[in-house]
Amino acid sequence: MAAQLSKHNDSPPFVDHKDLHKVIDATQLGNVPWQCLSVQYTGERPEHDTPPWMGKDYEVWYRDPRVMAHNMLANTTYKGEIDYAPFREYDSSDDTRQWKDFMSGDWAWQQADELSKDPNTHGSMFVPIILGSDKTTVSVGTGNNKYYPLYASIGNVHNNVRRAHRDALVIIGFLSIPKTTRKYAHDDSFRLFRRQLFHCSLSAILSTLKPVMTKYEVLRCADGHFRRIIFSLGPYIADYEEQLVLSCTVKNWCPKCLAHRGDLDGGGIPRTREHTDLLVRENIDSDTLWHEFGIVSALVPFTNDFPRADIHQLISFDLLHQLVKGAFKDHLVDWVLKYLKLTHGTKRGEEIMSDIDHRIAAVASFTGLRRFPDGCGFKQWTGNDSKALMKVFIPAIEGHVPQDMVHAFRALLEFCYIARRDVITEASLVQLSDALTRFHHYCQIFETTGTVPHFSLPRQHSMTHYADMIRLFGAPNGLCSSITESKHIKAVKEPWRWSNKHNALGQMLLTNQRLDKLAASRWDFAARGMLVGSVLSRAVAALADEVYVPHLRCFIRYFLFSQLFPNDPRNPEDVPAASCPRHEGGLYVFNSAATTFYAPSDPSGVGSMRREQIRACPLWRNVSPHNDCVFVNTNSDLEGMKGLEVARVKCFFSFKFDWVTYPCALVQWFDKVSDCADEDTGMWIVRPSVHDDGTPNFAVIHIDTVYRAAHLIPVYGPDFIADDIKYFHSYDAFRSFYVNKFADHHAFEIAS
């Protein structure tokens, strides 16, 4: 500390937090001030007993989205990660189409075609504004405080930038949440006003963009070049309930097509702005529009105030609410519980569910995988909880439910994981269609058993639109509500916690403004060039005793032989021990190792590289040993599991031999039960490898052959598991295991 203070003449750069805030507030970089819009009900009022909500003023706080877009376009950290024109991408090997970032979709291409027809916009750079909004609760226990943030991004930045929240998704407003007394809470007039307030607020906030949607402005971009820019409204990220409000559609109808709510899977023609306007102009009565077309005729979407904007087309995918929380958690998982009670009776059904909970709790821990120590029987579910349950649920229910139900879960999970890919190819769309067909086929088991009466469910129906939306907007992982929900933490929940809770919104606005200034200052400083584990030593014999591998010295000799004589065709274990190199020195032992690999579909860092810890600890959190499993690359010429083997790491160590350092891992091998994945679950099955005398098959391998961590789930079978089995017993207590390809999206690609 003293050395650092000497740079500032023995005094800190800031006297206190007030001095720091004063400097930040004076910074003009990233400064976009907040503005307030006050809205009041102006419709007819009853002469007597006027509802209190009609006399209130509703404040909407917002920042100029046009200036926010200017800042994003000028951000030099996006250089190389921003597209300046729509494009169509093809695989050079077979000339097939593929979709990745937003500008690779057909919608941006079509919009650019339209702009090119107008002499005033011809040759301009097309910049679509992506919007998203979602109510969030910051505190349930102290007043159920809710906020309604509005976010914006530009479609030109790559999906990985938007997902990583590198200031490519910004908060531009806090919408008002009208409230009233219980007496009027369910009045049709109050409900209509809430929706009207929503649309007029969005229209007012975005109004500064309207002039530059038809006439270009010249702006500096991330690469330092100046371009003529034309803005337009782009996709809107929202859950199903908000999609209904956005599209002025009746509940249980599809906001994207005219399929009847009683038979959504029967299909229907796409909804369009022109078709809806035509029906309204034909003076069809509101009841007919409501019941026959699912249209709320008293409302006009905010997109009607802007050129080239059709809300029905602009509603985007929602992997989180439609697939993860909807089709998986709220539908299939709940249906399993209902089926078990219906088939076996309430008492026996609860016993089976208890065993399923126990199986889930017994799953071994894995990096990035949420554990369920008490199973899945809790009430408050988050999106991350549902995602984690997806990864372990199939092995837990197998043996307790019909195979068709297992197949239905497998089809849904494969649909989700294919849709979540960073790059979607034409082959991926075929796989997506196949998974959807299988899902619909195997879901019939829930109807034939009397578990559910029908499948006309909006969230499941949305799956039929995914292929078309991928062609329009590119890969779904760049337009998912999980992006906006995770943004809630930095933009809403943490600023609220930092406030004194009294008139918290004003303090939250200031906090967000300061954070944006700091972010803008950081990339400006970077552009100017202004920002420029423990190791233990062991003897071989001591380590052999510690890991219970008495022949460790022989395994090290075999390893050295393979390293020094890579072209020798003999198996090192067949070479006489006297002919193998001998290491007599010490070993440096490590409790973990880090692997870095390309995983664009998962949460990752710059360049879509993901870093993962693999642990081999003799004591983890003072509870038990922790020895992860890994994928080992044994043949890089073969794809997927055919070129990989599974092993469990006993320890990591390194040593020097003839002045060369060898980083190693002592592993126990697993054997594949079959030459292909299991037909029911779609996962490979492995079992611990043993020699003819029954001893475990150990080996020392070079750490460079370790690809990444692997997650195994026991093959439980039809029997209940013992009550005393814990998650840290999992790899030792069972004889065979599924290689969990649903652990994350990268595992899905390599272990399918």
Side-chain angles (χ1 to χ4, degrees):
M1 176 63 73
Q4 294 176 346
L5 290 178
S6 64
K7 300 177 183 179
H8 307 283
N9 298 319
D10 295 327
S11 62
F14 305 105
V15 176
D16 52 22
H17 70 280
K18 294 181 180 179
D19 187 30
L20 173 61
H21 289 162
K22 184 178 179 179
V23 172
I24 296 174
D25 293 339
T27 301
Q28 293 304 307
L29 288 171
N31 183 33
V32 185
W34 288 93
Q35 305 175 56
C36 183
L37 170 69
S38 183
V39 183
Q40 191 177 47
Y41 176 77
T42 58
E44 295 183 359
R45 306 188 185 200
E47 294 182 3
H48 305 287
D49 196 19
T50 303
W53 62 266
M54 290 186 177
K56 290 183 179 179
D57 289 326
Y58 299 95
E59 290 187 345
V60 178
W61 287 90
Y62 68 98
R63 293 190 286 185
D64 190 340
R66 183 172 166 183
V67 179
M68 301 296 286
H70 291 179
N71 291 343
M72 278 187 269
L73 283 169
N75 192 331
T76 55
T77 63
Y78 300 157
K79 184 178 180 180
E81 295 182 304
I82 187 170
D83 296 315
Y84 298 105
F87 61 94
R88 287 177 176 171
E89 191 171 5
Y90 294 86
D91 190 325
S92 59
S93 62
D94 55 9
D95 205 32
T96 56
R97 180 86 181 271
Q98 60 185 32
W99 296 265
K100 184 182 179 183
D101 298 310
F102 180 78
M103 298 299 279
S104 68
D106 291 339
W107 182 82
W109 186 281
Q110 294 163 4
Q111 294 292 308
D113 276 349
E114 288 297 316
L115 292 175
S116 67
K117 298 174 184 178
D118 186 349
N120 294 322
T121 58
H122 181 79
S124 299
M125 176 182 168
F126 175 60
V127 178
I129 302 297
I130 295 174
L131 299 169
S133 57
D134 182 31
K135 293 187 183 75
T136 184
T137 302
V138 293
S139 175
V140 176
T142 57
N144 195 24
N145 296 293
K146 286 187 177 182
Y147 293 93
Y148 204 165
L150 174 66
Y151 301 104
S153 180
I154 56 175
N156 309 77
V157 295
H158 293 175
N159 288 350
N160 67 297
V161 177
R162 193 177 302 112
R163 293 199 310 271
H165 292 172
R166 288 166 49 192
D167 308 313
L169 182 75
V170 295
I171 187 165
I172 62 169
F174 281 90
L175 304 177
S176 181
I177 305 178
K179 297 179 181 179
T180 189
T181 60
R182 290 175 180 265
K183 179 179 179 180
Y184 302 103
H186 300 290
D187 282 0
D188 291 340
S189 57
F190 177 65
R191 291 179 175 179
L192 181 62
F193 170 72
R194 285 190 305 181
R195 294 191 171 195
Q196 289 173 330
L197 176 62
F198 175 81
H199 285 282
C200 74
S201 298
L202 288 179
S203 183
I205 291 171
L206 301 170
S207 61
T208 58
L209 288 167
K210 193 170 182 178
V212 287
M213 290 181 175
T214 53
K215 184 177 180 180
Y216 68 81
E217 64 176 333
V218 177
L219 297 174
R220 183 173 181 171
C221 298
D223 59 359
H225 293 283
F226 288 86
R227 290 179 174 85
R228 295 187 297 180
I229 306 295
I230 285 289
F231 290 98
S232 182
L233 293 186
Y236 202 112
I237 303 171
D239 59 19
Y240 175 68
E241 286 72 18
E242 195 156 4
Q243 288 178 0
L244 296 179
V245 177
L246 284 164
S247 59
C248 306
T249 304
V250 178
K251 188 176 181 180
N252 295 325
W253 287 76
C254 175
K256 295 193 73 71
C257 75
L258 286 166
H260 195 274
R261 66 178 177 181
D263 183 23
L264 288 174
D265 289 337
I269 62 173
R271 291 183 186 270
T272 64
R273 172 177 172 176
E274 292 76 13
H275 181 260
T276 301
D277 291 346
L278 177 63
L279 292 175
V280 174
R281 284 198 302 268
E282 290 295 323
N283 293 322
I284 300 175
D285 66 274
S286 58
D287 286 344
T288 301
L289 291 174
W290 181 287
H291 294 290
E292 298 298 326
F293 298 96
I295 296 173
V296 183
S297 58
L299 291 171
V300 178
F302 77 96
T303 50
N304 284 21
D305 295 334
F306 299 90
R308 306 183 303 277
D310 184 343
I311 188 59
H312 303 295
Q313 187 182 46
L314 294 179
I315 287 175
S316 77
F317 335 77
D318 185 8
L319 292 168
L320 178 63
H321 293 95
Q322 291 170 344
L323 302 185
V324 179
K325 285 185 174 181
F328 174 73
K329 172 58 182 69
D330 293 341
H331 296 163
L332 264 61
V333 173
D334 288 352
W335 292 352
V336 165
L337 176 59
K338 189 176 179 181
Y339 162 79
L340 292 174
K341 290 183 177 180
L342 192 67
T343 304
H344 302 285
T346 301
K347 183 178 180 181
R348 179 61 177 171
E350 292 288 357
E351 290 176 355
I352 296 174
M353 277 304 300
S354 294
D355 185 63
I356 292 174
D357 285 339
H358 196 186
R359 291 180 175 191
I360 293 171
V363 170
S365 58
F366 182 72
T367 302
L369 181 64
R370 186 204 188 287
R371 287 197 59 253
F372 295 91
D374 300 313
C376 60
F378 53 92
K379 294 181 179 180
Q380 293 293 333
W381 279 87
T382 66
N384 288 335
D385 293 333
S386 298
K387 290 178 185 177
L389 186 64
M390 290 177 74
K391 301 175 181 181
V392 300
F393 198 68
I394 291 179
I397 64 172
E398 192 184 26
H400 286 316
V401 299
Q403 288 305 104
D404 277 6
M405 291 188 183
V406 176
H407 291 159
F409 274 95
R410 174 189 170 183
L412 176 62
L413 263 63
E414 288 182 349
F415 185 96
C416 295
Y417 278 67
I418 293 168
R420 187 62 172 73
R421 284 175 177 166
D422 183 57
V423 178
I424 307 291
T425 64
E426 291 183 11
S428 302
L429 293 181
V430 173
Q431 296 171 358
L432 199 73
S433 176
D434 174 66
L436 182 59
T437 300
R438 288 186 285 115
F439 175 70
H440 285 154
H441 171 73
Y442 289 116
C443 266
Q444 297 301 317
I445 185 67
F446 291 104
E447 188 174 27
T448 57
T449 56
T451 306
V452 293
H454 63 83
F455 298 106
S456 189
L457 303 166
R459 290 177 179 84
Q460 284 191 25
H461 165 73
S462 68
M463 296 165 67
T464 62
H465 295 298
Y466 268 59
D468 290 335
M469 286 196 287
I470 287 170
R471 293 186 179 95
L472 283 177
F473 301 140
N477 64 8
L479 294 174
C480 180
S481 61
S482 60
I483 299 175
T484 54
E485 287 215 353
S486 58
K487 185 69 174 179
H488 288 338
I489 298 172
K490 292 294 183 183
V492 182
K493 296 185 178 182
E494 287 183 351
W496 182 84
R497 295 187 191 113
W498 297 335
S499 73
N500 62 14
K501 313 303 183 295
H502 177 67
N503 293 329
L505 181 57
Q507 300 168 62
M508 293 162 63
L509 300 178
L510 182 58
T511 297
N512 274 283
Q513 190 168 3
R514 286 170 173 167
L515 290 174
D516 286 344
K517 288 184 176 184
L518 288 174
S521 298
R522 190 181 191 283
W523 63 257
D524 180 69
F525 293 165
R528 297 172 183 269
M530 298 167 61
L531 298 177
V532 210
S534 64
V535 180
L536 303 176
S537 178
R538 293 279 198 283
V540 175
L543 181 59
D545 291 339
E546 183 177 316
V547 296
Y548 304 105
V549 181
H551 301 296
L552 176 60
R553 190 179 299 275
C554 292
F555 295 142
I556 294 176
R557 291 180 184 176
Y558 299 151
F559 166 76
L560 279 174
F561 183 87
S562 65
Q563 293 293 307
L564 298 175
F565 308 103
N567 297 323
D568 194 307
R570 293 176 294 174
N571 185 335
E573 296 185 13
D574 296 333
V575 178
S579 302
C580 291
R582 298 171 63 90
H583 172 68
E584 301 296 344
L587 305 176
Y588 295 94
V589 182
F590 304 84
N591 288 336
S592 67
T595 178
T596 304
F597 51 92
Y598 183 68
S601 298
D602 288 297
S604 52
V606 176
S608 299
M609 301 302 292
R610 182 179 182 184
R611 185 178 175 88
E612 182 177 67
Q613 289 291 129
I614 303 172
R615 293 182 172 85
C617 303
L619 186 63
W620 176 250
R621 294 178 177 175
N622 292 321
V623 176
S624 65
H626 184 131
N627 298 90
D628 285 332
C629 292
V630 294
F631 291 107
V632 181
N633 191 349
T634 55
N635 190 340
S636 57
D637 294 330
L638 299 178
E639 292 186 357
M641 283 294 291
K642 294 182 179 180
L644 299 172
E645 298 294 337
V646 177
R648 188 181 183 192
V649 181
K650 298 294 289 183
C651 67
F652 292 106
F653 64 91
S654 70
F655 63 91
K656 282 188 177 182
F657 183 83
D658 286 346
W659 304 102
V660 177
T661 299
Y662 293 94
C664 309
L666 173 64
V667 301
Q668 179 183 359
W669 292 110
F670 283 77
D671 291 331
K672 297 168 185 170
V673 173
S674 174
D675 292 333
C676 59
D678 176 61
E679 184 177 347
D680 293 328
T681 63
M683 292 184 277
W684 289 74
I685 299 178
V686 296
R687 60 190 172 200
S689 177
V690 295
H691 295 292
D692 293 338
D693 60 358
T695 57
N697 184 6
F698 290 106
V700 172
I701 62 174
H702 198 288
I703 200 169
D704 285 348
T705 63
V706 175
Y707 188 11
R708 59 155 301 181
H711 186 233
L712 309 184
I713 300 179
V715 178
Y716 294 111
D719 300 326
F720 284 22
I721 65 174
D723 291 337
D724 58 349
I725 290 181
K726 305 298 182 183
Y727 71 94
F728 46 81
H729 299 143
S730 183
Y731 289 155
D732 300 310
F734 297 91
R735 297 180 179 178
S736 57
F737 302 84
Y738 292 109
V739 180
N740 185 13
K741 71 176 184 179
F742 300 113
D744 54 50
H745 297 280
H746 183 262
F748 180 78
E749 299 300 327
I750 67 173
S752 291

